[in-house]
mmCIF file with all atom_site columns, all heavy atoms in Angstrom:
data_model
loop_
_atom_site.group_PDB
_atom_site.id
_atom_site.type_symbol
_atom_site.label_atom_id
_atom_site.label_alt_id
_atom_site.label_comp_id
_atom_site.label_asym_id
_atom_site.label_entity_id
_atom_site.label_seq_id
_atom_site.pdbx_PDB_ins_code
_atom_site.Cartn_x
_atom_site.Cartn_y
_atom_site.Cartn_z
_atom_site.occupancy
_atom_site.B_iso_or_equiv
_atom_site.pdbx_formal_charge
_atom_site.auth_seq_id
_atom_site.auth_comp_id
_atom_site.auth_asym_id
_atom_site.auth_atom_id
_atom_site.pdbx_PDB_model_num
ATOM 1   N N   . TYR A 1 323 ? 93.372 126.480 100.899 1.00 0.00 ? 323 TYR A N   1
ATOM 2   C CA  . TYR A 1 323 ? 92.761 125.508 99.986  1.00 0.00 ? 323 TYR A CA  1
ATOM 3   C C   . TYR A 1 323 ? 93.644 125.230 98.781  1.00 0.00 ? 323 TYR A C   1
ATOM 4   O O   . TYR A 1 323 ? 93.786 124.067 98.346  1.00 0.00 ? 323 TYR A O   1
ATOM 5   C CB  . TYR A 1 323 ? 91.397 125.987 99.529  1.00 0.00 ? 323 TYR A CB  1
ATOM 6   C CG  . TYR A 1 323 ? 90.830 125.221 98.385  1.00 0.00 ? 323 TYR A CG  1
ATOM 7   C CD1 . TYR A 1 323 ? 90.385 123.901 98.550  1.00 0.00 ? 323 TYR A CD1 1
ATOM 8   C CD2 . TYR A 1 323 ? 90.744 125.766 97.091  1.00 0.00 ? 323 TYR A CD2 1
ATOM 9   C CE1 . TYR A 1 323 ? 89.913 123.145 97.482  1.00 0.00 ? 323 TYR A CE1 1
ATOM 10  C CE2 . TYR A 1 323 ? 90.227 125.046 96.025  1.00 0.00 ? 323 TYR A CE2 1
ATOM 11  C CZ  . TYR A 1 323 ? 89.806 123.737 96.244  1.00 0.00 ? 323 TYR A CZ  1
ATOM 12  O OH  . TYR A 1 323 ? 89.335 123.002 95.187  1.00 0.00 ? 323 TYR A OH  1
ATOM 13  N N   . TRP A 1 329 ? 91.530 118.530 96.174  1.00 0.00 ? 329 TRP A N   1
ATOM 14  C CA  . TRP A 1 329 ? 90.229 118.531 96.852  1.00 0.00 ? 329 TRP A CA  1
ATOM 15  C C   . TRP A 1 329 ? 89.202 119.366 96.056  1.00 0.00 ? 329 TRP A C   1
ATOM 16  O O   . TRP A 1 329 ? 89.510 120.459 95.602  1.00 0.00 ? 329 TRP A O   1
ATOM 17  C CB  . TRP A 1 329 ? 90.366 119.090 98.252  1.00 0.00 ? 329 TRP A CB  1
ATOM 18  C CG  . TRP A 1 329 ? 91.012 118.155 99.222  1.00 0.00 ? 329 TRP A CG  1
ATOM 19  C CD1 . TRP A 1 329 ? 92.317 117.762 99.229  1.00 0.00 ? 329 TRP A CD1 1
ATOM 20  C CD2 . TRP A 1 329 ? 90.378 117.474 100.308 1.00 0.00 ? 329 TRP A CD2 1
ATOM 21  N NE1 . TRP A 1 329 ? 92.543 116.872 100.240 1.00 0.00 ? 329 TRP A NE1 1
ATOM 22  C CE2 . TRP A 1 329 ? 91.374 116.702 100.927 1.00 0.00 ? 329 TRP A CE2 1
ATOM 23  C CE3 . TRP A 1 329 ? 89.076 117.472 100.820 1.00 0.00 ? 329 TRP A CE3 1
ATOM 24  C CZ2 . TRP A 1 329 ? 91.100 115.893 102.017 1.00 0.00 ? 329 TRP A CZ2 1
ATOM 25  C CZ3 . TRP A 1 329 ? 88.832 116.686 101.926 1.00 0.00 ? 329 TRP A CZ3 1
ATOM 26  C CH2 . TRP A 1 329 ? 89.793 115.912 102.526 1.00 0.00 ? 329 TRP A CH2 1
ATOM 27  N N   . ASN A 1 330 ? 88.003 118.833 95.910  1.00 0.00 ? 330 ASN A N   1
ATOM 28  C CA  . ASN A 1 330 ? 86.888 119.595 95.357  1.00 0.00 ? 330 ASN A CA  1
ATOM 29  C C   . ASN A 1 330 ? 86.284 120.404 96.514  1.00 0.00 ? 330 ASN A C   1
ATOM 30  O O   . ASN A 1 330 ? 86.171 119.937 97.644  1.00 0.00 ? 330 ASN A O   1
ATOM 31  C CB  . ASN A 1 330 ? 85.807 118.682 94.779  1.00 0.00 ? 330 ASN A CB  1
ATOM 32  C CG  . ASN A 1 330 ? 86.240 118.097 93.453  1.00 0.00 ? 330 ASN A CG  1
ATOM 33  O OD1 . ASN A 1 330 ? 87.224 118.517 92.849  1.00 0.00 ? 330 ASN A OD1 1
ATOM 34  N ND2 . ASN A 1 330 ? 85.516 117.072 93.013  1.00 0.00 ? 330 ASN A ND2 1
ATOM 35  N N   . LEU A 1 331 ? 85.834 121.626 96.204  1.00 0.00 ? 331 LEU A N   1
ATOM 36  C CA  . LEU A 1 331 ? 85.314 122.524 97.223  1.00 0.00 ? 331 LEU A CA  1
ATOM 37  C C   . LEU A 1 331 ? 83.916 123.010 96.824  1.00 0.00 ? 331 LEU A C   1
ATOM 38  O O   . LEU A 1 331 ? 83.701 123.435 95.686  1.00 0.00 ? 331 LEU A O   1
ATOM 39  C CB  . LEU A 1 331 ? 86.245 123.733 97.407  1.00 0.00 ? 331 LEU A CB  1
ATOM 40  C CG  . LEU A 1 331 ? 85.737 124.882 98.283  1.00 0.00 ? 331 LEU A CG  1
ATOM 41  C CD1 . LEU A 1 331 ? 85.559 124.399 99.724  1.00 0.00 ? 331 LEU A CD1 1
ATOM 42  C CD2 . LEU A 1 331 ? 86.702 126.072 98.218  1.00 0.00 ? 331 LEU A CD2 1
ATOM 43  N N   . GLU A 1 341 ? 84.279 135.405 95.430  1.00 0.00 ? 341 GLU A N   1
ATOM 44  C CA  . GLU A 1 341 ? 85.309 134.956 94.508  1.00 0.00 ? 341 GLU A CA  1
ATOM 45  C C   . GLU A 1 341 ? 86.548 135.858 94.526  1.00 0.00 ? 341 GLU A C   1
ATOM 46  O O   . GLU A 1 341 ? 87.681 135.389 94.470  1.00 0.00 ? 341 GLU A O   1
ATOM 47  C CB  . GLU A 1 341 ? 84.760 134.845 93.101  1.00 0.00 ? 341 GLU A CB  1
ATOM 48  C CG  . GLU A 1 341 ? 83.744 133.699 92.935  1.00 0.00 ? 341 GLU A CG  1
ATOM 49  C CD  . GLU A 1 341 ? 83.018 133.764 91.612  1.00 0.00 ? 341 GLU A CD  1
ATOM 50  O OE1 . GLU A 1 341 ? 82.193 134.701 91.451  1.00 0.00 ? 341 GLU A OE1 1
ATOM 51  O OE2 . GLU A 1 341 ? 83.261 132.867 90.762  1.00 0.00 ? 341 GLU A OE2 1
ATOM 52  N N   . PHE A 1 344 ? 88.296 135.304 97.905  1.00 0.00 ? 344 PHE A N   1
ATOM 53  C CA  . PHE A 1 344 ? 88.799 133.923 97.966  1.00 0.00 ? 344 PHE A CA  1
ATOM 54  C C   . PHE A 1 344 ? 90.047 133.777 97.084  1.00 0.00 ? 344 PHE A C   1
ATOM 55  O O   . PHE A 1 344 ? 90.905 132.964 97.361  1.00 0.00 ? 344 PHE A O   1
ATOM 56  C CB  . PHE A 1 344 ? 87.689 132.935 97.512  1.00 0.00 ? 344 PHE A CB  1
ATOM 57  C CG  . PHE A 1 344 ? 88.080 131.503 97.556  1.00 0.00 ? 344 PHE A CG  1
ATOM 58  C CD1 . PHE A 1 344 ? 88.161 130.813 98.757  1.00 0.00 ? 344 PHE A CD1 1
ATOM 59  C CD2 . PHE A 1 344 ? 88.344 130.786 96.385  1.00 0.00 ? 344 PHE A CD2 1
ATOM 60  C CE1 . PHE A 1 344 ? 88.492 129.487 98.801  1.00 0.00 ? 344 PHE A CE1 1
ATOM 61  C CE2 . PHE A 1 344 ? 88.690 129.471 96.420  1.00 0.00 ? 344 PHE A CE2 1
ATOM 62  C CZ  . PHE A 1 344 ? 88.771 128.820 97.650  1.00 0.00 ? 344 PHE A CZ  1
ATOM 63  N N   . ALA A 1 346 ? 89.961 133.306 93.550  1.00 0.00 ? 346 ALA A N   1
ATOM 64  C CA  . ALA A 1 346 ? 89.778 132.503 92.329  1.00 0.00 ? 346 ALA A CA  1
ATOM 65  C C   . ALA A 1 346 ? 88.328 132.478 91.950  1.00 0.00 ? 346 ALA A C   1
ATOM 66  O O   . ALA A 1 346 ? 87.434 132.430 92.817  1.00 0.00 ? 346 ALA A O   1
ATOM 67  C CB  . ALA A 1 346 ? 90.293 131.082 92.512  1.00 0.00 ? 346 ALA A CB  1
ATOM 68  N N   . ALA A 1 347 ? 88.073 132.515 90.649  1.00 0.00 ? 347 ALA A N   1
ATOM 69  C CA  . ALA A 1 347 ? 86.703 132.392 90.168  1.00 0.00 ? 347 ALA A CA  1
ATOM 70  C C   . ALA A 1 347 ? 86.241 130.940 90.277  1.00 0.00 ? 347 ALA A C   1
ATOM 71  O O   . ALA A 1 347 ? 87.041 130.006 90.050  1.00 0.00 ? 347 ALA A O   1
ATOM 72  C CB  . ALA A 1 347 ? 86.613 132.833 88.716  1.00 0.00 ? 347 ALA A CB  1
ATOM 73  N N   . ALA A 1 348 ? 85.010 130.740 90.620  1.00 0.00 ? 348 ALA A N   1
ATOM 74  C CA  . ALA A 1 348 ? 84.475 129.392 90.757  1.00 0.00 ? 348 ALA A CA  1
ATOM 75  C C   . ALA A 1 348 ? 84.378 128.699 89.406  1.00 0.00 ? 348 ALA A C   1
ATOM 76  O O   . ALA A 1 348 ? 84.157 129.353 88.389  1.00 0.00 ? 348 ALA A O   1
ATOM 77  C CB  . ALA A 1 348 ? 83.115 129.412 91.438  1.00 0.00 ? 348 ALA A CB  1
ATOM 78  N N   . ASP A 1 349 ? 84.569 127.394 89.398  1.00 0.00 ? 349 ASP A N   1
ATOM 79  C CA  . ASP A 1 349 ? 84.361 126.623 88.169  1.00 0.00 ? 349 ASP A CA  1
ATOM 80  C C   . ASP A 1 349 ? 82.891 126.539 87.812  1.00 0.00 ? 349 ASP A C   1
ATOM 81  O O   . ASP A 1 349 ? 82.526 126.422 86.661  1.00 0.00 ? 349 ASP A O   1
ATOM 82  C CB  . ASP A 1 349 ? 84.931 125.198 88.350  1.00 0.00 ? 349 ASP A CB  1
ATOM 83  C CG  . ASP A 1 349 ? 86.432 125.201 88.538  1.00 0.00 ? 349 ASP A CG  1
ATOM 84  O OD1 . ASP A 1 349 ? 87.118 125.855 87.736  1.00 0.00 ? 349 ASP A OD1 1
ATOM 85  O OD2 . ASP A 1 349 ? 86.918 124.554 89.473  1.00 0.00 ? 349 ASP A OD2 1
ATOM 86  N N   . LYS A 1 350 ? 82.040 126.637 88.868  1.00 0.00 ? 350 LYS A N   1
ATOM 87  C CA  . LYS A 1 350 ? 80.601 126.534 88.646  1.00 0.00 ? 350 LYS A CA  1
ATOM 88  C C   . LYS A 1 350 ? 79.903 127.166 89.839  1.00 0.00 ? 350 LYS A C   1
ATOM 89  O O   . LYS A 1 350 ? 80.441 127.156 90.959  1.00 0.00 ? 350 LYS A O   1
ATOM 90  C CB  . LYS A 1 350 ? 80.201 125.054 88.495  1.00 0.00 ? 350 LYS A CB  1
ATOM 91  C CG  . LYS A 1 350 ? 78.783 124.819 88.036  1.00 0.00 ? 350 LYS A CG  1
ATOM 92  C CD  . LYS A 1 350 ? 78.530 123.307 87.810  1.00 0.00 ? 350 LYS A CD  1
ATOM 93  C CE  . LYS A 1 350 ? 77.112 123.049 87.371  1.00 0.00 ? 350 LYS A CE  1
ATOM 94  N NZ  . LYS A 1 350 ? 76.855 121.588 87.192  1.00 0.00 ? 350 LYS A NZ  1
ATOM 95  N N   . LYS A 1 351 ? 78.715 127.748 89.644  1.00 0.00 ? 351 LYS A N   1
ATOM 96  C CA  . LYS A 1 351 ? 77.934 128.333 90.709  1.00 0.00 ? 351 LYS A CA  1
ATOM 97  C C   . LYS A 1 351 ? 76.486 127.868 90.626  1.00 0.00 ? 351 LYS A C   1
ATOM 98  O O   . LYS A 1 351 ? 75.997 127.593 89.526  1.00 0.00 ? 351 LYS A O   1
ATOM 99  C CB  . LYS A 1 351 ? 77.985 129.854 90.657  1.00 0.00 ? 351 LYS A CB  1
ATOM 100 C CG  . LYS A 1 351 ? 79.335 130.448 90.998  1.00 0.00 ? 351 LYS A CG  1
ATOM 101 C CD  . LYS A 1 351 ? 79.270 131.975 91.118  1.00 0.00 ? 351 LYS A CD  1
ATOM 102 C CE  . LYS A 1 351 ? 79.087 132.625 89.735  1.00 0.00 ? 351 LYS A CE  1
ATOM 103 N NZ  . LYS A 1 351 ? 79.212 134.102 89.833  1.00 0.00 ? 351 LYS A NZ  1
ATOM 104 N N   . ARG A 1 352 ? 75.826 127.793 91.752  1.00 0.00 ? 352 ARG A N   1
ATOM 105 C CA  . ARG A 1 352 ? 74.411 127.450 91.774  1.00 0.00 ? 352 ARG A CA  1
ATOM 106 C C   . ARG A 1 352 ? 73.707 128.289 92.839  1.00 0.00 ? 352 ARG A C   1
ATOM 107 O O   . ARG A 1 352 ? 74.163 128.383 93.971  1.00 0.00 ? 352 ARG A O   1
ATOM 108 C CB  . ARG A 1 352 ? 74.224 125.953 92.068  1.00 0.00 ? 352 ARG A CB  1
ATOM 109 C CG  . ARG A 1 352 ? 72.761 125.538 92.105  1.00 0.00 ? 352 ARG A CG  1
ATOM 110 C CD  . ARG A 1 352 ? 72.656 124.059 92.083  1.00 0.00 ? 352 ARG A CD  1
ATOM 111 N NE  . ARG A 1 352 ? 71.248 123.592 92.188  1.00 0.00 ? 352 ARG A NE  1
ATOM 112 C CZ  . ARG A 1 352 ? 70.799 122.495 91.609  1.00 0.00 ? 352 ARG A CZ  1
ATOM 113 N NH1 . ARG A 1 352 ? 71.569 121.762 90.873  1.00 0.00 ? 352 ARG A NH1 1
ATOM 114 N NH2 . ARG A 1 352 ? 69.521 122.156 91.762  1.00 0.00 ? 352 ARG A NH2 1
ATOM 115 N N   . LEU A 1 363 ? 76.218 128.671 95.785  1.00 0.00 ? 363 LEU A N   1
ATOM 116 C CA  . LEU A 1 363 ? 77.106 127.560 96.109  1.00 0.00 ? 363 LEU A CA  1
ATOM 117 C C   . LEU A 1 363 ? 78.242 127.623 95.086  1.00 0.00 ? 363 LEU A C   1
ATOM 118 O O   . LEU A 1 363 ? 78.079 127.376 93.900  1.00 0.00 ? 363 LEU A O   1
ATOM 119 C CB  . LEU A 1 363 ? 76.381 126.223 95.986  1.00 0.00 ? 363 LEU A CB  1
ATOM 120 C CG  . LEU A 1 363 ? 77.185 125.002 96.366  1.00 0.00 ? 363 LEU A CG  1
ATOM 121 C CD1 . LEU A 1 363 ? 77.591 125.042 97.840  1.00 0.00 ? 363 LEU A CD1 1
ATOM 122 C CD2 . LEU A 1 363 ? 76.426 123.709 96.076  1.00 0.00 ? 363 LEU A CD2 1
ATOM 123 N N   . PHE A 1 364 ? 79.446 128.039 95.578  1.00 0.00 ? 364 PHE A N   1
ATOM 124 C CA  . PHE A 1 364 ? 80.609 128.157 94.734  1.00 0.00 ? 364 PHE A CA  1
ATOM 125 C C   . PHE A 1 364 ? 81.337 126.821 94.680  1.00 0.00 ? 364 PHE A C   1
ATOM 126 O O   . PHE A 1 364 ? 81.688 126.268 95.717  1.00 0.00 ? 364 PHE A O   1
ATOM 127 C CB  . PHE A 1 364 ? 81.565 129.281 95.271  1.00 0.00 ? 364 PHE A CB  1
ATOM 128 C CG  . PHE A 1 364 ? 80.939 130.635 95.239  1.00 0.00 ? 364 PHE A CG  1
ATOM 129 C CD1 . PHE A 1 364 ? 80.241 131.135 96.315  1.00 0.00 ? 364 PHE A CD1 1
ATOM 130 C CD2 . PHE A 1 364 ? 81.061 131.423 94.102  1.00 0.00 ? 364 PHE A CD2 1
ATOM 131 C CE1 . PHE A 1 364 ? 79.676 132.420 96.284  1.00 0.00 ? 364 PHE A CE1 1
ATOM 132 C CE2 . PHE A 1 364 ? 80.486 132.702 94.043  1.00 0.00 ? 364 PHE A CE2 1
ATOM 133 C CZ  . PHE A 1 364 ? 79.804 133.194 95.141  1.00 0.00 ? 364 PHE A CZ  1
ATOM 134 N N   . MET A 1 365 ? 81.572 126.337 93.465  1.00 0.00 ? 365 MET A N   1
ATOM 135 C CA  . MET A 1 365 ? 82.166 125.007 93.276  1.00 0.00 ? 365 MET A CA  1
ATOM 136 C C   . MET A 1 365 ? 83.527 125.125 92.631  1.00 0.00 ? 365 MET A C   1
ATOM 137 O O   . MET A 1 365 ? 83.670 125.767 91.561  1.00 0.00 ? 365 MET A O   1
ATOM 138 C CB  . MET A 1 365 ? 81.264 124.133 92.401  1.00 0.00 ? 365 MET A CB  1
ATOM 139 C CG  . MET A 1 365 ? 79.805 124.106 92.845  1.00 0.00 ? 365 MET A CG  1
ATOM 140 S SD  . MET A 1 365 ? 78.777 123.085 91.787  1.00 0.00 ? 365 MET A SD  1
ATOM 141 C CE  . MET A 1 365 ? 77.131 123.695 92.246  1.00 0.00 ? 365 MET A CE  1
ATOM 142 N N   . TYR A 1 366 ? 84.519 124.525 93.271  1.00 0.00 ? 366 TYR A N   1
ATOM 143 C CA  . TYR A 1 366 ? 85.884 124.495 92.736  1.00 0.00 ? 366 TYR A CA  1
ATOM 144 C C   . TYR A 1 366 ? 86.322 123.018 92.629  1.00 0.00 ? 366 TYR A C   1
ATOM 145 O O   . TYR A 1 366 ? 86.217 122.260 93.589  1.00 0.00 ? 366 TYR A O   1
ATOM 146 C CB  . TYR A 1 366 ? 86.866 125.208 93.680  1.00 0.00 ? 366 TYR A CB  1
ATOM 147 C CG  . TYR A 1 366 ? 86.560 126.698 93.801  1.00 0.00 ? 366 TYR A CG  1
ATOM 148 C CD1 . TYR A 1 366 ? 85.589 127.172 94.705  1.00 0.00 ? 366 TYR A CD1 1
ATOM 149 C CD2 . TYR A 1 366 ? 87.232 127.631 93.021  1.00 0.00 ? 366 TYR A CD2 1
ATOM 150 C CE1 . TYR A 1 366 ? 85.310 128.511 94.801  1.00 0.00 ? 366 TYR A CE1 1
ATOM 151 C CE2 . TYR A 1 366 ? 86.966 128.996 93.148  1.00 0.00 ? 366 TYR A CE2 1
ATOM 152 C CZ  . TYR A 1 366 ? 86.005 129.441 94.042  1.00 0.00 ? 366 TYR A CZ  1
ATOM 153 O OH  . TYR A 1 366 ? 85.748 130.789 94.141  1.00 0.00 ? 366 TYR A OH  1
ATOM 154 N N   . PHE A 1 367 ? 86.787 122.655 91.427  1.00 0.00 ? 367 PHE A N   1
ATOM 155 C CA  . PHE A 1 367 ? 87.103 121.245 91.202  1.00 0.00 ? 367 PHE A CA  1
ATOM 156 C C   . PHE A 1 367 ? 88.593 121.019 91.214  1.00 0.00 ? 367 PHE A C   1
ATOM 157 O O   . PHE A 1 367 ? 89.403 121.908 90.896  1.00 0.00 ? 367 PHE A O   1
ATOM 158 C CB  . PHE A 1 367 ? 86.520 120.801 89.840  1.00 0.00 ? 367 PHE A CB  1
ATOM 159 C CG  . PHE A 1 367 ? 85.028 121.065 89.747  1.00 0.00 ? 367 PHE A CG  1
ATOM 160 C CD1 . PHE A 1 367 ? 84.493 121.672 88.636  1.00 0.00 ? 367 PHE A CD1 1
ATOM 161 C CD2 . PHE A 1 367 ? 84.166 120.674 90.791  1.00 0.00 ? 367 PHE A CD2 1
ATOM 162 C CE1 . PHE A 1 367 ? 83.089 121.910 88.558  1.00 0.00 ? 367 PHE A CE1 1
ATOM 163 C CE2 . PHE A 1 367 ? 82.820 120.913 90.750  1.00 0.00 ? 367 PHE A CE2 1
ATOM 164 C CZ  . PHE A 1 367 ? 82.262 121.548 89.609  1.00 0.00 ? 367 PHE A CZ  1
ATOM 165 N N   . ASN A 1 368 ? 89.003 119.778 91.590  1.00 0.00 ? 368 ASN A N   1
ATOM 166 C CA  . ASN A 1 368 ? 90.431 119.505 91.774  1.00 0.00 ? 368 ASN A CA  1
ATOM 167 C C   . ASN A 1 368 ? 91.205 119.681 90.470  1.00 0.00 ? 368 ASN A C   1
ATOM 168 O O   . ASN A 1 368 ? 90.684 119.524 89.377  1.00 0.00 ? 368 ASN A O   1
ATOM 169 C CB  . ASN A 1 368 ? 90.639 118.128 92.394  1.00 0.00 ? 368 ASN A CB  1
ATOM 170 C CG  . ASN A 1 368 ? 89.999 116.995 91.570  1.00 0.00 ? 368 ASN A CG  1
ATOM 171 O OD1 . ASN A 1 368 ? 89.763 117.149 90.399  1.00 0.00 ? 368 ASN A OD1 1
ATOM 172 N ND2 . ASN A 1 368 ? 89.743 115.881 92.245  1.00 0.00 ? 368 ASN A ND2 1
ATOM 173 N N   . LYS A 1 369 ? 92.472 120.002 90.618  1.00 0.00 ? 369 LYS A N   1
ATOM 174 C CA  . LYS A 1 369 ? 93.330 120.349 89.489  1.00 0.00 ? 369 LYS A CA  1
ATOM 175 C C   . LYS A 1 369 ? 94.441 119.335 89.291  1.00 0.00 ? 369 LYS A C   1
ATOM 176 O O   . LYS A 1 369 ? 94.853 118.622 90.196  1.00 0.00 ? 369 LYS A O   1
ATOM 177 C CB  . LYS A 1 369 ? 93.953 121.735 89.721  1.00 0.00 ? 369 LYS A CB  1
ATOM 178 C CG  . LYS A 1 369 ? 92.971 122.850 90.079  1.00 0.00 ? 369 LYS A CG  1
ATOM 179 C CD  . LYS A 1 369 ? 92.060 123.191 88.920  1.00 0.00 ? 369 LYS A CD  1
ATOM 180 C CE  . LYS A 1 369 ? 91.315 124.493 89.151  1.00 0.00 ? 369 LYS A CE  1
ATOM 181 N NZ  . LYS A 1 369 ? 90.291 124.367 90.216  1.00 0.00 ? 369 LYS A NZ  1
ATOM 182 N N   . GLY A 1 373 ? 97.475 122.842 86.965  1.00 0.00 ? 373 GLY A N   1
ATOM 183 C CA  . GLY A 1 373 ? 96.414 123.716 87.361  1.00 0.00 ? 373 GLY A CA  1
ATOM 184 C C   . GLY A 1 373 ? 95.145 123.643 86.594  1.00 0.00 ? 373 GLY A C   1
ATOM 185 O O   . GLY A 1 373 ? 94.266 124.497 86.666  1.00 0.00 ? 373 GLY A O   1
ATOM 186 N N   . ARG A 1 374 ? 95.014 122.584 85.771  1.00 0.00 ? 374 ARG A N   1
ATOM 187 C CA  . ARG A 1 374 ? 93.817 122.411 84.943  1.00 0.00 ? 374 ARG A CA  1
ATOM 188 C C   . ARG A 1 374 ? 92.831 121.491 85.667  1.00 0.00 ? 374 ARG A C   1
ATOM 189 O O   . ARG A 1 374 ? 93.210 120.575 86.375  1.00 0.00 ? 374 ARG A O   1
ATOM 190 C CB  . ARG A 1 374 ? 94.193 121.811 83.584  1.00 0.00 ? 374 ARG A CB  1
ATOM 191 C CG  . ARG A 1 374 ? 95.123 122.690 82.760  1.00 0.00 ? 374 ARG A CG  1
ATOM 192 C CD  . ARG A 1 374 ? 95.607 121.981 81.517  1.00 0.00 ? 374 ARG A CD  1
ATOM 193 N NE  . ARG A 1 374 ? 96.356 120.749 81.841  1.00 0.00 ? 374 ARG A NE  1
ATOM 194 C CZ  . ARG A 1 374 ? 97.118 120.095 80.985  1.00 0.00 ? 374 ARG A CZ  1
ATOM 195 N NH1 . ARG A 1 374 ? 97.249 120.527 79.755  1.00 0.00 ? 374 ARG A NH1 1
ATOM 196 N NH2 . ARG A 1 374 ? 97.750 118.978 81.359  1.00 0.00 ? 374 ARG A NH2 1
ATOM 197 N N   . ASN A 1 375 ? 91.537 121.754 85.452  1.00 0.00 ? 375 ASN A N   1
ATOM 198 C CA  . ASN A 1 375 ? 90.504 120.891 86.056  1.00 0.00 ? 375 ASN A CA  1
ATOM 199 C C   . ASN A 1 375 ? 90.609 119.457 85.544  1.00 0.00 ? 375 ASN A C   1
ATOM 200 O O   . ASN A 1 375 ? 90.784 119.253 84.348  1.00 0.00 ? 375 ASN A O   1
ATOM 201 C CB  . ASN A 1 375 ? 89.108 121.426 85.702  1.00 0.00 ? 375 ASN A CB  1
ATOM 202 C CG  . ASN A 1 375 ? 88.762 122.679 86.435  1.00 0.00 ? 375 ASN A CG  1
ATOM 203 O OD1 . ASN A 1 375 ? 89.448 123.055 87.366  1.00 0.00 ? 375 ASN A OD1 1
ATOM 204 N ND2 . ASN A 1 375 ? 87.687 123.344 85.996  1.00 0.00 ? 375 ASN A ND2 1
ATOM 205 N N   . LYS A 1 376 ? 90.578 118.541 86.465  1.00 0.00 ? 376 LYS A N   1
ATOM 206 C CA  . LYS A 1 376 ? 90.573 117.136 86.082  1.00 0.00 ? 376 LYS A CA  1
ATOM 207 C C   . LYS A 1 376 ? 89.200 116.771 85.535  1.00 0.00 ? 376 LYS A C   1
ATOM 208 O O   . LYS A 1 376 ? 88.212 117.195 86.056  1.00 0.00 ? 376 LYS A O   1
ATOM 209 C CB  . LYS A 1 376 ? 90.950 116.227 87.286  1.00 0.00 ? 376 LYS A CB  1
ATOM 210 C CG  . LYS A 1 376 ? 92.391 116.347 87.683  1.00 0.00 ? 376 LYS A CG  1
ATOM 211 C CD  . LYS A 1 376 ? 92.703 115.361 88.792  1.00 0.00 ? 376 LYS A CD  1
ATOM 212 C CE  . LYS A 1 376 ? 94.164 115.385 89.220  1.00 0.00 ? 376 LYS A CE  1
ATOM 213 N NZ  . LYS A 1 376 ? 94.451 114.460 90.305  1.00 0.00 ? 376 LYS A NZ  1
#
Side-chain angles (χ1 to χ4, degrees):
Y323 168 70
W329 286 69
N330 287 346
L331 171 65
E341 290 170 291
F344 182 75
D349 295 311
K350 190 176 179 181
K351 291 187 289 187
R352 180 166 177 149
L363 183 64
F364 295 92
M365 310 179 199
Y366 296 84
F367 305 132
N368 56 23
K369 308 292 192 291
R374 299 172 299 194
N375 288 347
K376 289 184 178 180

